[in-house]
Amino acid sequence: MSLSNVLHNWSHFRRDREAGGHHDYEHMWGMVVDLNKCIGCNACSVACYAENNLPVVGKYRFEKGHAQHWMRLERYWDEPDIGDDKVAEYQQYGANFMPMNCQQCNAATCEPVCPVAATYHTPDGLNAQVYNRCIGSRYCSNNCPYRLRYFNFWSYYDSSWPAPLNMQLNPDLSVRDKGVMEKCTFCVQRIRAAKDKAQMEDRVLQDGEFNPACVQTCPTSALVFGDLLHMFNAKYDVPESKASQMWRAHQVELGKPEQHKQNPELRGYRVFEALNTDPCIMYLERVREV
Amino acid sequence: MSVTQYSSLPCVPIRKVGTEHSGSHRVPLISFLIVALFAGLVLLPVIAHAEVPNAIPPVGTYDGEDVKQPIEFPHNIHADVNKINCMYCHTYARRSKVAGIPPTSKCMGCHSVIATDKERIKKLTEYWEKRQPPPWKKVHDVPDFVHFTHEKHLKRFVFDNEGMPVEHVDEVCAFCHGEVKKMTVAHKVKPLNMGFCRRCHEANGGPFDCWKCHK
Amino acid sequence: MNIDKLKRRDFLKIMGWSGVGTTLAGCDLPSTVTLEEGKETVTSYMVPEEFVIPGIGVYYATTCQECSAGCGVHGRVREGRVLKLEGNPDSPINRGKLCQMGQSGLQTHYNPDRIEKPMMRKDGTLTEVTWGEALDLVDSKTGSTSGLSGDRFAMLTQTISGHQAVLLDAYLESIGSKNHYVHEVVNNAVWRQVSQDMLGDASPRLRFDRAKVILSFGADFIGTWVSQVHFATEYSHFRTSPRGMLIQAEPKMTLTGANADLWLATRPGTDGVLALGIANILVSKHGKDISGLPYSIQQLIKSYNITRVQEITGVSGEHIVRVADVLGERSPSLVMAGASAEGFEHGYETVAAAMLLNIILGNVGETLESGGTFPFPQLDTRTGNTSDLLAFAKAAGEQRLDVAFIYGANPVYTAPDYLGMKEKLDNIPFKVSFTSFMDETAAQADLILPMASYLEDWGTHVVDYQAGEGLIGVQQPLMEKLYPETKGFGDVMIALLKMRNVPAYSQYDDYYAYLRDAFTSLPAALKIQAGSEKVFWDQALQKGFLTVNRTKQPLATRTVAINLPEMSQDSGYPYRLIPSARLGLWDGRHANIPWLQEAPDQISKVVWDAWAEIHPKTAAKLGVKEGDLLKITSAQGSIEAKVYIYKGIHPDAIAVPLGQGHEEYGRYAKGRGVNPLKILDPAVDKKTGELAHHATRVQVAKVAKPHDNLVRFGGSETQVGRKIVATVTADQYERTEGGSGHVA
């Protein structure tokens, strides 16, 4: 870390902020989760286990809260907006399902607090976690308002993958050992592979060419994944992705802690955005007919 | 115009003065002075392997052990004497992340007729007849949390490199694998650690994003 | 520059800690710390296919076998190992999607508890033997020297179809037996019978895309009914503008119920009454014409006025009217009935009442269409049910069987205790279990023939619910067998047929050879122009399925007699036990898959356990809170389960999930939770003979003894006022995204 480096980065930083930021991004990966379509089936969660070498921790450790479900499906019973289920005798409007994975916040609360900079923001708009750099201080998961960071309290290799289960492990990413923080990566190994392939073929990455495991398997296509870079880089000359179109249609913008929509009835919203985390996942409000 | 410097001193981070992104901006004076100071300390041959244009080779050496292989495969006979292109055997290098050990059928392609009286060929034929691949030992390895793609590096230094003849691809391979054609069994002569990769990326404009290489 | 505005993250960025990183790891330290030379072996290929490149995955198509829906699968194979399963985008059944059970096929395949070699019972214990010995034993018990007469031989299998079924039939014929029992716990046998009787088609096609309203009496089509992934995709289109309404009526909330706009808790067994009550209002208020129906039916509908229905079902009059209004105003609609409607002694009539609604509403021909007849009956599916299990148990109990082959069924686990399956199986002197795992039935078998997993095996499959077009799903191995001593079911059938010198099969070495040969006749049969035999075969394997024309007939609109009994109360056993299937463990067959054990149940979010669901009113009555141990006793026995309390169940019902309570079946399944099937009452549906799963009466009491905790996926049951999941009304949705304003 030399003085010249500091000075160079400082001038870079000044220019960046004055011009409104986000200029050097190559992509801005984001997602849309349509809660009208999400049926709560949990296929996304199991697909994530399969793709990302997630350990099965067993009942005892699950109870302690050591489960490693990067994509988890929350289920709430109440109806805060449309009806008062608290006094009703039955759960007449069903359940509120909420798929939750790392929101890849642009203003992530986890990034600045890592003592060794093992987590940072990539030029792809992802919140990266470098496993071999992590020293396990767990400050990042402490800071995450969504509780989406999972710590490897144990070394699960032998207990979770007795032979020949270990033959299923995905060689495109590591198997994390004790003491390392991990979280959803938007299947960065698939992103990387698709980008490499496009680069080798000298072409631009197309929308829909690849998807994270959860998005690919969702039976109702409630999850949509795409490049949001169009939203603030009008010169991005790639056909706009479906996800970006949806963000635009629901008038949700990145970089704002509060949306002021022209049509406030549009369903798009981001969870806890008032905390100024600037997440890259937009949820579409659940619909019920009353 | 951008000026790139690197240093051979260990543990000094590489800093680049000026970047492709920046357009025009003034180089702070102090940076210029520091650069000038270090200019005289540049030791390594900058223009070593003249056959690879547009490339500054990586820096670093490592004294690897000789790895005992099931058959003492002589790279010198194949690559130097017979001038077989590296990619003839390690054919996957240009299309995949791994260069790959050639399938035994490739060896037998020649050695079903060539040099069949030699000890090593006899041993190879034994493996072939038993339909068991020889248990080669891995010489060049990176940790599980590192993602290295051969194909992209070949694209940059060979196929998309103007003026780079494909027949000389062994010069590019030598960047990381050393002068394999002078070896019998390959052994490691470059450290292949992060500093080694970083310095070459720095010198040649490779990516810096941690998640490009760490998984 | 404004120092005040400098935030911490920016400071670190400037200092070079963002994106560039420091070079602590890059120093030229001795690299033996992290890098290894000469330790790993690199295995090269021998003669690889040209498309196999190490480091790049190759995708192969096959058909999933984790349930009987038959979704198309693309498996990613790298270096000879299958690593990940995805849906086959071309398959009209699942259109590129896969449920959690499909994803878990990998763990069935790589499961550490697979049986690797044939096992024979010698002196009471199972010991490993060779296939030669195993098949010799089979020959001695079934061959020409055994003296076995055909009617004393039986096969009990799971739902089976395709060329495996052809071989099975051929084998049965060679033995001279007609005893093929097909058994599935999670089935829709009563719906099939009603559909056959009333519509003339046992498996009508359901047009979700045309329906404006879906009324489901316990049919968990999003979770466990018929073809989950297919229906889930259909459902998502159903919910896109113009948005359809889903009403679910059942005693315990299923996954489909959790997604309903209106969920009605019906008293167990009264779904039929509710259907007739809705019909009553449709006639009286919405002028639906039922003059064409038999007089008895007209009178029946008239007799179920709203007061009577309200009292019987426990559903409020307001809700009954609402449902009738919605059905009356929006057309076409779709009415379905599932396990909670079928599972009573009057199950057939309950489902018939629901089907009657379809007829009254004019849905037949609109949202219910002919599923069509599959043109090759020898390949067609033999669907499983529970009446076959009862027949098998009866035959075994009456000592009418000398030899039984059991494949894909686990009757010792799935049969209720009253059947005495264990003892009855002892009556069969020679039992062969075709299985990959040591389940409860295999533990009692005399011979175990280890099966290859579906990812290692060949096959063809014709599923019950065909999504419009007819399909023959093709199954091919995605990798070499993990254990060379396992065989596919088809392989064993060929070997057995050859042993019996059945001439048609003597030329085949194994199932693969037979399939290759069978495929040569398919192009002509399917009336397609194919190139050479090899081209046709390769194309079939690449696509993963073959399309077949199914002849469709218009559906009939017949009625059947409906006589719904009075639901009596038994003061000794005041509650009804609901053994509920869940998307995940299914009927218990997936309890040995760690991913599925760790995936929380969708409704209760419990992991690695079984539980008893009760309503808060019931909890108050019993004085229990969440996690307390409850003893649930029927006249047949009792089970103990920890309590989960929520409002998604009728106060008269106790729901215990299927799937746990295994006494064998591997390290992940054994000794975990309870199996509600054990204490089922001997009740069967009068018309179809199906086990009446939901009819069991129980009493419950709190048990005060130390027990482990109920582990649930944590977090709060409520959002405590935070906007985590926000809900809007359908009106608002249509305003913003309906019609021309339709977003993506």
Side-chain angles (χ1 to χ4, degrees), chain C residues 1 42 54 58 90 107 182 202 241 377 386 436 529 581 583 643 672 738:
Chain C
M1 180 193 89
V42 189
V58 182
D90 297 322
Q107 291 209 323
V182 191
S241 178
T386 46
S436 300
Q529 278 290 84
L583 177 60
V643 162
R672 191 177 296 287

mmCIF file of all heavy atoms in Angstrom, chain C residues 1 42 54 58 90 107 182 202 241 377 386 436 529 581 583 643 672 738:
data_model
loop_
_atom_site.group_PDB
_atom_site.id
_atom_site.type_symbol
_atom_site.label_atom_id
_atom_site.label_comp_id
_atom_site.label_asym_id
_atom_site.label_seq_id
_atom_site.Cartn_x
_atom_site.Cartn_y
_atom_site.Cartn_z
ATOM 1 N N MET C 1 -12.630 19.192 -1.240
ATOM 2 C CA MET C 1 -12.908 17.879 -0.676
ATOM 3 C C MET C 1 -13.579 18.045 0.668
ATOM 4 O O MET C 1 -13.188 18.856 1.475
ATOM 5 C CB MET C 1 -11.577 17.129 -0.518
ATOM 6 C CG MET C 1 -11.757 15.755 0.061
ATOM 7 S SD MET C 1 -10.179 15.053 0.569
ATOM 8 C CE MET C 1 -10.040 15.620 2.223
ATOM 9 N N VAL C 42 -3.475 -37.459 -11.292
ATOM 10 C CA VAL C 42 -4.312 -36.938 -12.367
ATOM 11 C C VAL C 42 -4.684 -38.115 -13.233
ATOM 12 O O VAL C 42 -3.825 -38.760 -13.822
ATOM 13 C CB VAL C 42 -3.545 -35.924 -13.241
ATOM 14 C CG1 VAL C 42 -4.500 -35.245 -14.186
ATOM 15 C CG2 VAL C 42 -2.820 -34.922 -12.378
ATOM 16 N N PRO C 54 -12.136 -32.199 -20.294
ATOM 17 C CA PRO C 54 -12.011 -32.067 -18.839
ATOM 18 C C PRO C 54 -12.144 -30.617 -18.422
ATOM 19 O O PRO C 54 -11.594 -29.724 -19.066
ATOM 20 C CB PRO C 54 -10.592 -32.571 -18.537
ATOM 21 C CG PRO C 54 -10.001 -32.994 -19.792
ATOM 22 C CD PRO C 54 -10.945 -32.767 -20.912
ATOM 23 N N VAL C 58 -20.602 -31.912 -19.437
ATOM 24 C CA VAL C 58 -21.425 -32.375 -20.558
ATOM 25 C C VAL C 58 -22.800 -32.677 -19.989
ATOM 26 O O VAL C 58 -22.920 -33.256 -18.913
ATOM 27 C CB VAL C 58 -20.842 -33.666 -21.185
ATOM 28 C CG1 VAL C 58 -21.670 -34.098 -22.375
ATOM 29 C CG2 VAL C 58 -19.400 -33.435 -21.609
ATOM 30 N N ASP C 90 -36.884 -28.859 -22.729
ATOM 31 C CA ASP C 90 -37.767 -29.292 -23.815
ATOM 32 C C ASP C 90 -38.936 -30.123 -23.330
ATOM 33 O O ASP C 90 -39.905 -30.297 -24.059
ATOM 34 C CB ASP C 90 -36.980 -30.137 -24.828
ATOM 35 C CG ASP C 90 -35.886 -29.321 -25.488
ATOM 36 O OD1 ASP C 90 -36.144 -28.139 -25.757
ATOM 37 O OD2 ASP C 90 -34.800 -29.875 -25.714
ATOM 38 N N GLN C 107 -28.449 -37.345 -4.306
ATOM 39 C CA GLN C 107 -28.145 -37.950 -3.015
ATOM 40 C C GLN C 107 -28.748 -39.338 -2.880
ATOM 41 O O GLN C 107 -28.325 -40.108 -2.035
ATOM 42 C CB GLN C 107 -28.614 -37.036 -1.881
ATOM 43 C CG GLN C 107 -27.774 -35.776 -1.803
ATOM 44 C CD GLN C 107 -27.684 -35.218 -0.396
ATOM 45 O OE1 GLN C 107 -28.635 -35.260 0.361
ATOM 46 N NE2 GLN C 107 -26.523 -34.671 -0.063
ATOM 47 N N VAL C 182 -49.704 -53.173 -7.636
ATOM 48 C CA VAL C 182 -48.977 -51.906 -7.801
ATOM 49 C C VAL C 182 -49.356 -50.995 -6.642
ATOM 50 O O VAL C 182 -50.528 -50.683 -6.454
ATOM 51 C CB VAL C 182 -49.345 -51.230 -9.142
ATOM 52 C CG1 VAL C 182 -48.399 -50.093 -9.424
ATOM 53 C CG2 VAL C 182 -49.288 -52.244 -10.269
ATOM 54 N N ALA C 202 -59.843 -41.607 -16.981
ATOM 55 C CA ALA C 202 -59.319 -41.678 -15.618
ATOM 56 C C ALA C 202 -58.366 -40.517 -15.292
ATOM 57 O O ALA C 202 -58.207 -40.156 -14.144
ATOM 58 C CB ALA C 202 -58.573 -42.990 -15.415
ATOM 59 N N SER C 241 -51.736 -11.885 -14.702
ATOM 60 C CA SER C 241 -52.926 -11.209 -15.151
ATOM 61 C C SER C 241 -53.439 -11.785 -16.463
ATOM 62 O O SER C 241 -52.677 -12.000 -17.383
ATOM 63 C CB SER C 241 -52.637 -9.723 -15.338
ATOM 64 O OG SER C 241 -53.760 -9.044 -15.813
ATOM 65 N N PRO C 377 -50.691 -49.829 -25.140
ATOM 66 C CA PRO C 377 -51.093 -50.211 -23.775
ATOM 67 C C PRO C 377 -50.035 -51.017 -23.040
ATOM 68 O O PRO C 377 -49.966 -50.965 -21.817
ATOM 69 C CB PRO C 377 -52.371 -51.050 -23.993
ATOM 70 C CG PRO C 377 -52.430 -51.336 -25.442
ATOM 71 C CD PRO C 377 -51.634 -50.337 -26.157
ATOM 72 N N THR C 386 -53.512 -48.105 -2.885
ATOM 73 C CA THR C 386 -53.385 -48.864 -1.646
ATOM 74 C C THR C 386 -54.275 -50.102 -1.628
ATOM 75 O O THR C 386 -54.044 -51.016 -0.831
ATOM 76 C CB THR C 386 -53.737 -47.987 -0.428
ATOM 77 O OG1 THR C 386 -54.935 -47.280 -0.707
ATOM 78 C CG2 THR C 386 -52.622 -47.021 -0.129
ATOM 79 N N SER C 436 -32.327 -50.524 -3.618
ATOM 80 C CA SER C 436 -30.997 -49.931 -3.485
ATOM 81 C C SER C 436 -30.603 -49.770 -2.022
ATOM 82 O O SER C 436 -29.425 -49.572 -1.725
ATOM 83 C CB SER C 436 -30.955 -48.548 -4.125
ATOM 84 O OG SER C 436 -31.265 -48.603 -5.485
ATOM 85 N N GLN C 529 -40.677 -40.112 -39.409
ATOM 86 C CA GLN C 529 -39.599 -40.378 -40.344
ATOM 87 C C GLN C 529 -38.299 -40.231 -39.582
ATOM 88 O O GLN C 529 -37.966 -39.149 -39.135
ATOM 89 C CB GLN C 529 -39.624 -39.333 -41.474
ATOM 90 C CG GLN C 529 -40.620 -39.644 -42.571
ATOM 91 C CD GLN C 529 -40.191 -40.842 -43.381
ATOM 92 O OE1 GLN C 529 -40.440 -41.980 -43.018
ATOM 93 N NE2 GLN C 529 -39.533 -40.581 -44.483
ATOM 94 N N ALA C 581 -48.904 -36.126 3.374
ATOM 95 C CA ALA C 581 -47.711 -36.237 2.538
ATOM 96 C C ALA C 581 -47.104 -34.851 2.385
ATOM 97 O O ALA C 581 -47.813 -33.859 2.364
ATOM 98 C CB ALA C 581 -48.082 -36.787 1.167
ATOM 99 N N LEU C 583 -44.088 -32.439 0.261
ATOM 100 C CA LEU C 583 -43.156 -32.324 -0.861
ATOM 101 C C LEU C 583 -41.758 -32.327 -0.258
ATOM 102 O O LEU C 583 -41.305 -31.353 0.299
ATOM 103 C CB LEU C 583 -43.422 -31.020 -1.615
ATOM 104 C CG LEU C 583 -42.478 -30.708 -2.779
ATOM 105 C CD1 LEU C 583 -42.530 -31.795 -3.830
ATOM 106 C CD2 LEU C 583 -42.847 -29.369 -3.400
ATOM 107 N N VAL C 643 -45.532 -31.174 19.392
ATOM 108 C CA VAL C 643 -46.638 -30.360 18.913
ATOM 109 C C VAL C 643 -46.174 -29.138 18.141
ATOM 110 O O VAL C 643 -45.209 -28.480 18.517
ATOM 111 C CB VAL C 643 -47.474 -29.919 20.134
ATOM 112 C CG1 VAL C 643 -48.347 -28.745 19.790
ATOM 113 C CG2 VAL C 643 -48.310 -31.061 20.620
ATOM 114 N N ARG C 672 -35.890 -41.887 13.558
ATOM 115 C CA ARG C 672 -36.166 -40.459 13.569
ATOM 116 C C ARG C 672 -37.659 -40.230 13.451
ATOM 117 O O ARG C 672 -38.289 -40.670 12.493
ATOM 118 C CB ARG C 672 -35.446 -39.832 12.366
ATOM 119 C CG ARG C 672 -35.394 -38.371 12.348
ATOM 120 C CD ARG C 672 -34.591 -37.901 11.149
ATOM 121 N NE ARG C 672 -33.198 -38.304 11.203
ATOM 122 C CZ ARG C 672 -32.306 -37.785 12.007
ATOM 123 N NH1 ARG C 672 -32.637 -36.840 12.841
ATOM 124 N NH2 ARG C 672 -31.066 -38.232 11.986
ATOM 125 N N GLY C 738 -52.507 -5.339 -14.969
ATOM 126 C CA GLY C 738 -53.480 -6.065 -15.759
ATOM 127 C C GLY C 738 -53.543 -5.545 -17.177
ATOM 128 O O GLY C 738 -53.100 -4.448 -17.488
#
